[in-house]
Amino acid sequence: MPLSMNREVFITCAVTGSGDTVSKSSHVPITPKQIAEAAVEAAKAGAAIVHCHVRDPETGAPARRLDLYKEVTDRIRSADIDVVLNLTAGMGGDLVFGNVESPLPVNEKGTDMAGATERVAHVAECLPEICTLDCGTMNFSLGDYVMTNTPSMLREMARQMTALGVRPEIEAFDTGHLWFAKQLVEEGLIEDPVLIQLCMGIPWGAPDDLNTFMAMVNNVPANWTFSAFSIGRNALAYPAAAILAGGNVRVGLEDNLYVGKGQLATNGQLVEKAVSVIEGMGAKIIGPAEVRETLKLTKR
């Protein structure tokens, strides 16, 4: 594939996620106020899009509560800086089996399975400009946890998102997820312009080596807009890889807790690091207004 560097780049900051990171860094935002403040910090540092999960304010555990999403949304929208709001719709598909000899009944402590309408209820309530659609099922990290997104579930969630006028951001963790995303577009369940996030290095999806990354990139249709990230130790290198491959950049504490070896980061610092990479490569950073124009988003 010939080099086709992207010279007009937007940054997405994934500010908190749903992983077990709260115990590892005091910078991971937990309460709606902290999450909104982290999103505003990221926007002021140069992020055009903020990607938000919510957490239980008392425990820091991942949550799906409508009131938490509403507070985060209202706080970000009332801030003194413009930013495109992207809410997760990945929650509600968590399946944890019992054990290797008795997989059923499932482990109720870790399992959180919900229907399509419930999984997008906060999207209908808050009407963000973008929401995520994790486009496949996969073994996820360690133990007996499976991230569960069946074809029927994905079709219905995509249908509801499109009907709400919210742009789905397809999250692809492996090549099969890209294959099914193309099917959703072919069926008219996701409309142009198509937005996709290549999620690299998550066990046990696509590893983040460059051969695999370019296999993912080469399976993205030329008229789609894509971003890419990796988690952990290669996260800081991926902005350069994504730009060189023709894509955009995602950083944030959902994916990586460090701004340097042994140096815990804030979301703003990770965005600043991405800004320096982008500008150092001779590319231009575009803001929320340009992103809305490119992706035909509805600002609310």
Side-chain angles (χ1 to χ4, degrees):
M1 176 182 178
L3 183 66
S4 183
M5 176 178 159
N6 183 14
R7 299 190 179 275
E8 294 192 344
V9 179
F10 63 77
I11 300 172
T12 297
C13 184
V15 299
T16 188
S18 60
D20 182 21
T21 52
V22 171
S23 62
K24 299 173 184 176
S25 172
S26 61
H27 297 306
V28 176
I30 297 172
T31 68
K33 183 175 184 290
Q34 291 170 344
I35 293 167
E37 287 174 348
V40 170
E41 174 197 21
K44 289 182 176 179
I49 303 173
V50 288
H51 171 57
C52 299
H53 291 240
V54 295
R55 294 177 178 269
D56 184 303
E58 301 298 325
T59 67
R64 290 192 288 111
R65 284 169 42 189
L66 288 179
D67 61 316
L68 299 178
Y69 277 111
K70 187 68 166 60
E71 183 177 348
V72 167
T73 299
D74 289 346
R75 286 180 177 274
I76 292 172
R77 285 176 171 158
S78 64
D80 60 353
I81 189 166
D82 187 25
V83 69
V84 173
L85 181 60
N86 175 344
L87 296 182
T88 184
M91 307 297 292
D94 300 328
L95 180 61
V96 181
F97 288 98
N99 60 58
V100 295
E101 300 297 344
S102 302
L104 297 177
V106 299
N107 183 329
E108 292 185 4
K109 182 179 179 181
T111 295
D112 177 30
M113 294 293 292
T117 300
E118 185 178 349
R119 288 181 69 174
V120 299
H122 63 292
V123 177
E125 172 73 20
C126 301
L127 291 177
E129 297 174 68
I130 301 170
C131 69
T132 59
L133 185 66
D134 297 346
C135 222
T137 295
M138 61 177 278
N139 294 331
F140 201 105
S141 193
L142 303 176
D144 298 299
Y145 168 53
V146 178
M147 180 179 76
T148 309
N149 297 287
T150 67
S152 296
M153 178 72 73
L154 290 170
R155 283 186 169 95
E156 181 57 29
M157 290 175 69
R159 185 180 293 110
Q160 292 192 27
M161 292 169 182
T162 299
L164 289 166
V166 176
R167 176 76 58 205
E169 179 191 57
I170 299 162
E171 290 201 332
F173 296 80
D174 216 335
T175 51
H177 300 180
L178 287 169
W179 187 6
F180 189 70
K182 294 174 188 176
Q183 183 65 29
L184 292 177
V185 173
E186 185 177 321
E187 293 174 12
L189 297 173
I190 295 178
E191 298 175 340
D192 289 333
V194 180
L195 173 64
I196 192 157
Q197 186 74 246
L198 302 180
C199 310
M200 308 299 298
I202 291 90
W204 300 103
D208 62 4
D209 64 272
L210 289 179
N211 282 338
T212 304
F213 176 52
M214 290 312 300
M216 295 281 279
V217 170
N218 289 337
N219 275 284
V220 175
N223 61 332
W224 292 13
T225 298
F226 79 91
S227 294
F229 71 92
S230 179
I231 64 169
R233 64 183 297 179
N234 289 330
L236 296 178
Y238 248 74
I243 295 164
L244 283 173
N248 298 280
V249 169
R250 171 170 141 172
V251 293
L253 293 179
E254 177 173 353
D255 309 325
N256 164 49
L257 299 177
Y258 295 92
V259 72
K261 187 174 182 179
Q263 298 175 276
L264 289 171
T266 66
N267 282 291
Q269 288 172 333
L270 291 173
V271 174
E272 288 169 358
K273 192 88 166 179
V275 167
S276 67
V277 170
I278 294 164
E279 293 182 338
M281 294 175 69
K284 172 189 173 184
I285 296 168
I286 64 173
E290 292 164 293
V291 169
R292 289 189 183 100
E293 183 178 356
T294 299
L295 297 177
K296 298 182 181 178
L297 303 178
T298 302
K299 183 180 179 181
R300 300 180 173 92

